[in-house]
Amino acid sequence: MIKRLLFILLLAAVPAAAADPLGPVHVGAGTVVDLGIVQSKYADPRRVVVWLPTGYSAQGQKYSVLYMHDGQNLFDKATAGYGMEWEIDEHLDALIRDKKVRPTIVVGIWNTPKRLQEYVPSKAFSGLPTEYRAKVRTLYGGDPLSDGYLKFIVRELRPMIAKRFNVNTNRADTAIMGSSMGALISLYAIDEYPEIFGSAGMMSTHWPLFLKPDGQSVSQEEYEVVSSAFERYLAPALPDPKSHKLYFDHGSETLDAIYKRYQDRVDAVVARRGYTQDASWLTRSFPGQKHNEISWASRVDIPLEFLFSASGRR
């Protein structure tokens, strides 16, 4: 019974499955190209859609690319879990129009029933003690599948996007972003593929990996075990701050209320690596904001402007 409660609570910590995963995606700005169900030899098949800003042209100036997880929650309430969306289309279209960010397309990657396994960083997981790996494995339904998921993005999806759309393929114009567990896999992506991704956005990062049934934070021992595992992984894995940018944030309500002390530990590792606040790195706290798409939509302009600054590339 306790394991079932833990699993239900953990699922509540992250966006739900799409309400209508095969339905049409409607946007308030720009247009969407539906790639349908994309097959992979590295991961389970999933739906992928590509958002193009207003005025997108197949010729001329090339566009930057933002890969985003939980794609069903980005553009349309009808496909989004809990009926909430990020409103990425409206926000990014306005930022491009106002010349606050570079012209950018968004690749929205749907999640699958194996979302938790696909989004948990495998190498950080491997740094947990045996009993904690077993605990996470039980909660998530098996061993991490994140290495295969990233291979799907880098080796299969990225070449597909480059072939079909008018985009830059260089590192400076390629970013990856997500929230909660989607934030963890975004950080893992830039660590494991620094030659591919020049920047990453992590919103409301779900550092704890697991929670107690009453919804409170884990014990001090569990907090220390998980934080130490991330520290050991990140210290040698973080990419060069001279050529990469990292964005982190969290709110203060619901699940976000327990993230600060984890984020403080990670921030110390990032600073030791040589990242500079407001230049190559930004961590922001948003008092009163919750762990949901409405809160992420209300502040998503900040990471978008930071990662895709119109003033220049790193």
Side-chain angles (χ1 to χ4, degrees):
M1 181 62 178
I2 293 297
K3 288 182 178 179
R4 177 174 173 79
L5 285 171
L6 278 166
F7 188 65
I8 291 172
L9 183 61
L10 188 57
L11 288 180
V14 292
D20 183 10
L22 297 180
V25 177
H26 300 98
V27 293
T31 58
V32 162
V33 177
D34 192 345
L35 301 185
I37 304 300
V38 178
Q39 302 293 323
S40 170
K41 63 181 180 181
Y42 302 109
D44 285 355
R46 73 204 61 227
R47 188 180 183 184
V48 177
V49 303
V50 178
W51 177 82
L52 308 175
T54 300
Y56 169 84
S57 174
Q59 306 295 326
Q61 180 184 8
K62 293 185 178 296
Y63 293 74
S64 298
V65 184
L66 173 59
Y67 292 88
M68 294 191 72
H69 317 287
D70 296 313
Q72 69 278 1
N73 297 327
L74 302 178
F75 311 112
D76 190 347
K77 292 181 178 64
T79 63
Y82 305 120
M84 297 180 284
E85 57 162 306
W86 283 60
E87 301 175 356
I88 288 294
D89 48 327
E90 291 94 341
H91 285 273
L92 188 50
D93 207 64
L95 290 170
I96 294 171
R97 184 177 62 248
D98 295 341
K99 300 187 185 306
K100 293 182 177 179
V101 304
R102 305 192 294 274
T104 301
I105 74 169
V106 178
V107 181
I109 308 167
W110 258 234
N111 63 35
T112 74
K114 296 179 182 177
R115 178 182 187 274
L116 298 176
Q117 292 173 263
E118 290 183 330
Y119 288 6
V120 64
S122 178
K123 291 183 180 178
F125 168 87
S126 297
L128 293 170
T130 302
E131 63 270 29
Y132 287 95
R133 290 201 303 272
K135 185 175 183 179
V136 173
R137 190 180 293 114
T138 297
L139 289 173
Y140 287 27
D143 285 318
L145 300 173
S146 47
D147 290 330
Y149 174 62
L150 291 183
K151 286 179 182 178
F152 157 65
I153 294 175
V154 170
R155 299 183 183 182
E156 297 175 324
L157 185 57
R158 182 170 168 269
M160 185 185 307
I161 298 301
K163 182 177 181 180
R164 185 162 178 178
F165 300 94
N166 181 27
V167 297
N168 277 310
T169 58
N170 58 68
R171 176 176 62 196
D173 284 291
T174 307
I176 191 162
M177 186 163 76
S179 63
S180 195
M181 291 294 294
L184 285 180
I185 190 63
S186 297
L187 181 59
Y188 193 48
I190 198 171
D191 292 338
E192 296 302 302
Y193 294 94
E195 74 283 7
I196 300 296
F197 301 105
S199 56
M202 284 66 68
M203 302 181 74
S204 296
T205 312
H206 191 63
W207 300 113
L209 296 184
F210 41 76
L211 300 172
K212 297 196 309 185
D214 58 8
Q216 300 302 307
S217 183
V218 297
S219 69
Q220 182 63 29
E221 178 184 352
E222 291 168 328
Y223 158 72
E224 184 61 40
V225 164
V226 173
S227 294
S228 296
F230 276 115
E231 286 174 326
R232 287 192 297 271
Y233 166 66
L234 290 172
L238 286 170
D240 189 345
K242 295 179 181 179
S243 52
H244 294 77
K245 298 177 77 171
L246 302 174
Y247 172 90
F248 300 94
D249 73 19
H250 59 81
S252 65
E253 305 299 319
T254 61
L255 278 172
D256 277 36
I258 66 174
Y259 291 161
K260 183 181 185 304
R261 62 175 179 163
Y262 294 91
Q263 187 65 57
D264 288 346
R265 295 271 293 262
V266 170
D267 285 350
V269 177
V270 172
R272 286 195 295 270
R273 179 67 175 90
Y275 282 82
T276 304
Q277 275 276 16
D278 299 317
S280 55
W281 156 49
L282 188 61
T283 291
R284 293 286 301 271
S285 173
F286 295 90
Q289 297 221 334
K290 301 178 180 180
H291 193 90
N292 60 33
E293 284 77 12
I294 292 175
S295 288
W296 299 324
S298 73
R299 65 184 192 256
V300 73
D301 284 12
I302 297 172
L304 289 175
E305 288 190 53
F306 182 70
L307 300 178
F308 290 102
S309 171
S311 61
R313 298 167 170 83
R314 291 189 65 78

